[in-house]
Amino acid sequence: MTAPWLPAGFAHSLHAPVTVDVHVRPIGPDDLEIDMPAVMGNQAMLWAKYGEVWGWPPVGMSAEADRVDLARHAREMVAHESFNYAILPTGEDRLLGCIYVDPAEPGDDLEEPAADVSWWVVADAPAGVDEAVRAFVPAWLDEAWPFATVRYPFGELG
């Protein structure tokens, strides 16, 4: 990036409640044990959504490849290059999905700062989690983030 994406001094959320039983926080390599089953257990759905654009997740993704990917996400968050949040139940014993907040791909007349945002929820999430995340994300972005423009290129709100 040639110019900072976010305003100087911006501090990203380290924890945000979605419901009384679900929250989001930054994901990292220590989440491998809950990330791998969630991703690979939903691989076909995730590939249908992200595969063409991101090439992820490949059918045979190894645990080591997942750990490398999670470490990259953690580094990018610290550097404010992009953000990947885990959607978790209170006990953090399983991953319910992820929210991705990335710099917007160039487009017509984007007011900066601009973000492209996407998320996924596991197929076997508790009832209501998908709907709660769908309501939470736009409100959270409006309240806790400095974006003038937010787009959902994978159709989450479409």
Side-chain angles (χ1 to χ4, degrees), residues 26 47 67:
W47 185 265
R67 182 183 306 281

Side-chain angles (χ1 to χ4, degrees), residues 13 15-17 24 85 99 101 135-145:
S13 297
H15 184 279
V24 300
Y85 283 86
I99 301 168
V101 181
F136 164 78
V137 171
W140 178 55
L141 293 171
D142 189 49
E143 294 167 9
W145 295 80

Side-chain angles (χ1 to χ4, degrees), residues 105-156:
E105 291 294 322
D108 297 328
D109 300 321
L110 286 180
E111 188 177 344
E112 299 291 340
D116 285 342
V117 177
S118 177
W119 69 84
W120 58 274
V121 173
V122 295
D124 66 345
V129 169
D130 194 38
E131 295 82 5
V133 170
R134 183 181 175 96
F136 164 78
V137 171
W140 178 55
L141 293 171
D142 189 49
E143 294 167 9
W145 295 80
F147 301 122
T149 305
V150 176
R151 301 184 305 186
Y152 299 90
F154 291 95
E156 286 78 5

Side-chain angles (χ1 to χ4, degrees), residues 11-129:
H12 65 276
S13 297
L14 299 179
H15 184 279
V18 176
T19 69
V20 295
D21 298 323
V22 176
H23 64 276
V24 300
R25 65 151 171 83
I27 200 165
D30 291 343
D31 294 311
L32 178 67
E33 287 186 26
I34 59 173
D35 186 71
M36 191 74 183
V39 170
M40 296 315 288
N42 292 272
Q43 189 275 337
M45 177 269 292
L46 292 170
W47 185 265
K49 184 171 189 165
Y50 299 117
E52 186 175 323
V53 177
W54 294 352
W56 178 87
V59 171
M61 184 172 71
S62 68
E64 184 54 32
D66 193 24
R67 182 183 306 281
V68 167
D69 197 38
L70 292 170
R72 177 184 56 81
H73 284 301
R75 285 190 311 274
E76 289 175 350
M77 288 185 79
V78 168
H80 281 188
E81 294 172 356
S82 69
F83 301 87
N84 181 346
Y85 283 86
I87 304 168
L88 301 158
T90 302
E92 296 196 2
D93 57 340
R94 68 183 285 216
L95 182 70
L96 299 175
C98 286
I99 301 168
Y100 307 104
V101 181
D102 297 306
E105 291 294 322
D108 297 328
D109 300 321
L110 286 180
E111 188 177 344
E112 299 291 340
D116 285 342
V117 177
S118 177
W119 69 84
W120 58 274
V121 173
V122 295
D124 66 345
V129 169

